[in-house]
């Protein structure tokens, strides 16, 4: 099963050392030797053909999906209460992004775009970024936000949350945003949609 070939798409970022490249090439040999390669998306299938030179007949799309607990809540008010109990600083009407803090997730650009909203709009729609984050990275992104005129109350980095909290967060969001530069599938988008959250996403 092939999830993505992102390191081959961005080798200067993910394969900058000879050790990284050798380890990744060894994994790719397994894919090249397979009788059948199952890809989780048409995008990954195209990448397998383009970057690995695989014959189209050896590469099939099987897709993927989300777990059953991602669905619109029976009681939206109760769902928000559960989300807020896990993330006390959470405000109603929030805009949510689940994102690893790495360049292709495009978080810096998301913050820049959020800063371009009118202040009265931002006041009603806190930007909430859900993911594990180091103190150094948090300080850098908060510094970026403040330099763009974003008030501290308008942006929230939750850190890593429990699976139960994530289930409550998705349907409580006013909007889910996923501006990634490249994905093999984009599972967070599928989860957000299954939970009933309106989504703005990139097409990569």
């Amino acid at each position: 099963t092939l999830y993505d070939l992102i390191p081959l798409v961005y080798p200067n970022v993910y394969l900058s050392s000879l050790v990284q490249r050798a380890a990744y090439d060894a994994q790719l040999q397994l894919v090249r030797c397979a009788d059948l390669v199952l890809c989780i998306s048409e995008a990954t299938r195209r990448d397998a053909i383009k970057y690995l030179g695989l014959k189209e007949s050896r590469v099939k799309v099987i897709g993927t999906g989300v777990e059953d607990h991602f669905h619109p809540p029976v009681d939206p008010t109760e769902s928000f209460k559960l989300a807020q109990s896990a993330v006390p600083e959470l405000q109603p009407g929030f805009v949510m992004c689940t994102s690893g803090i790495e360049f292709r997730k495009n978080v810096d650009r998301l913050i820049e775009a959020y800063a371009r909203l009118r202040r009265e709009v931002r006041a009603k729609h806190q930007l909430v970024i859900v993911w594990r984050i180091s103190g150094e990275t948090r300080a850098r992104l908060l510094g970026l936000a403040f330099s763009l005129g974003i008030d501290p109350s308008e942006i929230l980095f939750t850190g890593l949350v429990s699976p139960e909290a994530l289930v409550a967060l998705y349907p409580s969001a006013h909007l889910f945003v996923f501006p990634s530069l490249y994905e093999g599938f984009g599972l967070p988008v599928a989860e957000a949609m299954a939970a009933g959250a309106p989504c703005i996403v990139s097409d990569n």
Side-chain angles (χ1 to χ4, degrees):
T1 300
L2 184 63
Y3 291 90
D4 63 66
L5 287 170
I6 290 169
L8 280 187
V9 179
Y10 296 106
N12 293 338
V13 177
Y14 298 101
L15 304 174
S16 58
S17 76
L18 292 177
V19 173
Q20 289 172 320
R21 184 75 197 212
Y24 191 67
D25 282 345
Q27 295 178 26
L28 294 183
Q29 283 304 107
L30 292 173
V31 180
R32 290 189 176 100
C33 292
D35 296 314
L36 183 64
V37 178
L38 304 178
C39 299
I40 62 170
S41 67
E42 181 60 34
T44 294
R45 178 179 183 272
R46 290 194 301 267
D47 282 352
I49 294 166
K50 175 181 177 181
Y51 290 99
L52 302 182
L54 300 181
K55 292 182 179 180
E56 293 188 16
S57 60
R58 292 175 54 206
V59 189
K60 303 295 182 184
V61 177
I62 59 168
T64 188
V66 302
E67 296 178 78
D68 291 340
H69 52 243
F70 292 107
H71 57 77
V74 175
D75 185 347
T77 301
E78 187 61 29
S79 183
F80 178 78
K81 286 181 181 178
L82 289 172
Q84 198 174 46
S85 67
V87 184
E89 303 92 341
L90 198 66
Q91 299 174 12
F94 67 93
V95 174
M96 176 180 173
C97 175
T98 54
S99 179
I101 308 299
E102 58 169 300
F103 97 99
R104 71 181 174 87
K105 296 297 186 178
N106 214 14
V107 173
D108 290 51
R109 183 65 61 84
L110 172 61
I111 293 172
E112 291 169 7
Y114 180 72
R116 297 179 69 172
L117 295 173
R118 296 192 309 274
R119 184 175 295 277
E120 58 267 29
V121 174
R122 295 201 311 265
K124 296 178 181 177
H125 301 290
Q126 177 188 43
L127 177 60
V128 177
I129 297 174
V130 180
W131 201 256
R132 181 189 292 112
I133 184 172
S134 69
E136 180 181 353
T137 302
R138 180 192 298 268
R140 183 185 68 78
L141 292 174
L142 284 174
L144 172 63
F146 300 160
S147 73
L148 295 170
I150 297 173
D151 188 88
S153 65
E154 296 170 347
I155 187 166
L156 173 63
F157 296 94
T158 67
L160 194 64
V161 300
S162 69
E164 295 77 16
L166 189 61
V167 169
L169 280 162
Y170 276 128
S172 300
H174 181 77
L175 180 68
F176 180 79
V177 184
F178 199 71
S180 178
L181 298 174
Y182 212 91
E183 292 291 324
F185 179 75
L187 186 61
V189 179
E191 291 174 345
M193 291 174 68
C199 299
I200 295 179
V201 303
S202 55
D203 61 356
N204 298 311

